[in-house]
Amino acid sequence: MNEAHARIYAAIAAIPRGRVASYGAIAARAGLPGRARLVGKLLGETPEGMILPWYRVLRSSGQVALPTGSRGFREQCRLLRAEGVVVKNGRVPLASFGMDANLDRALWGMPD
DNA sequence: CGTCTGACCAGTG
DNA sequence: ACACTGGCCAGAC
């Protein structure tokens, strides 16, 4: 566990309930712009019992990164839907649930 | 040292 | 919408 790892974990832990963020956004928030792969690498080796909202991290396209249909994939969809996030075909509409979707919510009063 | 491999990404066509 | 490119970099070998 080094400094970069700690900052990445902190950035993920900071994603509000019912919202999602991309790997790239997490990396940037952790002060490591352009290093989305490092975020993915870290999550890949995240211990089972670790308390972390890993499922709120998606690709920049809104797609769930895990292989479609895999156990992790289904678990991620389940956890997201459990907090009100819409997941359709393994994908989340970032315009409504992304962390930078404030304007959308103000105009349309979507999730909260 | 060199090479390969990722829960990735933005740009281009 | 899809395919490809070059960029990213820590670890395994």
Side-chain angles (χ1 to χ4, degrees):
Chain A
M1 170 81 91
N2 58 38
E3 187 60 30
H5 292 196
R7 299 231 298 274
I8 289 172
Y9 283 133
I12 294 173
I15 305 173
R17 195 186 145 75
R19 302 246 212 127
V20 297
S22 71
Y23 290 85
I26 292 301
R29 241 170 109 76
L32 303 163
R35 297 172 59 178
R37 303 191 78 141
L38 181 55
V39 176
K41 184 127 202 306
L42 218 58
L43 288 184
E45 63 189 34
T46 294
E48 283 285 335
M50 159 115 60
I51 310 291
L52 195 73
W54 59 271
Y55 55 86
R56 295 187 187 137
V57 186
L58 308 168
R59 288 186 182 161
S60 61
S61 60
Q63 269 285 142
V64 166
L66 278 57
T68 306
S70 66
R71 189 168 105 221
F73 174 93
R74 289 193 304 276
E75 177 72 346
Q76 181 160 18
C77 293
R78 184 179 72 70
L79 290 167
L80 286 173
R81 289 200 261 248
E83 44 183 59
V85 175
V86 170
V87 186
K88 190 164 77 173
N89 293 320
R91 175 173 188 189
V92 171
L94 297 184
S96 301
F97 301 97
M99 288 188 70
D100 302 315
N102 297 300
L103 182 57
D104 287 60
R105 273 191 300 286
L107 291 174
W108 296 91
M110 294 299 275
D112 72 42

